[in-house]
Amino acid sequence: MCGRYVSTRSPQELTKLFDVAEWRPEETLEQSWNVAPTDPVYAVLERARKGAEEDTPVRRELRTLRWGLVPSWAKDPKIGSRMINARVETVHEKSAYRTAFARRRCLLPADGFYEWERLKDEKTGKVRKQPYFIHPADGEVMALAGLYEYWRNPEVKDGDDPAAWLLTCTIITTEATDAAGRVHPRMPLALTPDHYEAWLDPHHDDTEHLRDLLTQPAEGRLAARPVSTAVNNTRSNGPQLLEAV
């Protein structure tokens, strides 16, 4: 799974990296070295303006969503805390993700992510979890494949009120390879730039082709280093979390 990641790029940098046409300054987030489930996160997505015709060109936006997908049919938004990841093997089939996979796909920019390796002390027999920071060896940003969804809050009567809608997202995971595979069997799936356009296009609903875009990362691209267990606490933050131990 992917339960924590790092996001320190500014919206100005992200709009350039992902050719974003629109972003909202009021949605600017603070840098985070310990992004946790239910936190607000940056997402790159494409959609047509509200009320636009079917064939109206879409615009690429940088939006702020809440991490933990809440399906449109959910009765309680708390379900999102349990839906931070979607497995690539079944994402196109599961009822919680099926519609979003066909229509609402996004990219979640990240500097890297954390995974925990289970280590057993040979003397005591006790098991502890050692966190690792896993990131592109070249220092480039990762574009994690994700889905987003709208959830209508029934307590807000006016549908035009921004509070009536909750925008949430999930990260697609795959079998771990490279340095990540030595730490944990699963990892977030990152897309390469040549796949951004097809993945984000909301008019592209060919499930098989979309699944073909979700290939495993290239061998040798990721690096990993052990970091402090301070990252285990969601209240911990700051660049010191990335220091090797």
Side-chain angles (χ1 to χ4, degrees), residues 207-223:
T207 301
E208 289 304 314
H209 183 253
L210 289 168
R211 284 175 53 77
D212 288 342
L213 301 177
L214 303 175
T215 56
Q216 292 185 345
E219 188 70 22
R221 182 171 178 266
L222 297 175

Side-chain angles (χ1 to χ4, degrees), residues 76 90 126 137 144 147 157 208:
D76 191 331
T90 57
K126 293 183 178 180
L144 307 183
L147 309 176
K157 302 305 180 184
E208 289 304 314

Side-chain angles (χ1 to χ4, degrees), residues 186-224:
R186 304 289 297 183
M187 64 178 287
L189 201 158
L191 291 181
T192 53
D194 56 316
H195 289 165
Y196 292 174
E197 185 174 353
W199 178 252
L200 293 175
D201 184 358
H203 300 312
H204 185 182
D205 57 3
D206 184 333
T207 301
E208 289 304 314
H209 183 253
L210 289 168
R211 284 175 53 77
D212 288 342
L213 301 177
L214 303 175
T215 56
Q216 292 185 345
E219 188 70 22
R221 182 171 178 266
L222 297 175

Side-chain angles (χ1 to χ4, degrees), residues 54-109:
E54 182 73 20
D55 58 351
T56 300
V58 296
R59 291 173 60 85
R60 186 170 297 183
E61 304 177 9
L62 180 68
R63 297 297 308 274
T64 297
L65 314 181
R66 193 178 80 175
W67 184 17
L69 190 139
V70 179
S72 59
W73 44 258
K75 295 182 179 180
D76 191 331
K78 292 180 180 179
I79 192 176
S81 63
R82 304 196 303 272
M83 304 182 72
I84 62 171
N85 292 161
R87 295 175 66 92
V88 68
E89 296 87 350
T90 57
V91 66
H92 62 299
E93 301 172 336
K94 296 287 186 179
S95 61
Y97 307 121
R98 186 169 56 235
T99 300
F101 184 76
R103 302 177 183 175
R104 288 179 285 277
R105 298 174 299 275
C106 62
L107 297 172
L108 303 169

Side-chain angles (χ1 to χ4, degrees), residues 144-165:
L144 307 183
L147 309 176
Y148 72 98
E149 189 57 274
Y150 294 89
W151 182 77
R152 177 71 166 87
N153 185 348
E155 296 182 1
V156 180
K157 302 305 180 184
D158 183 1
D160 291 328
D161 186 337
W165 298 95

Side-chain angles (χ1 to χ4, degrees), residues 17 38 138 185:
L17 285 171
T38 73
D138 58 8

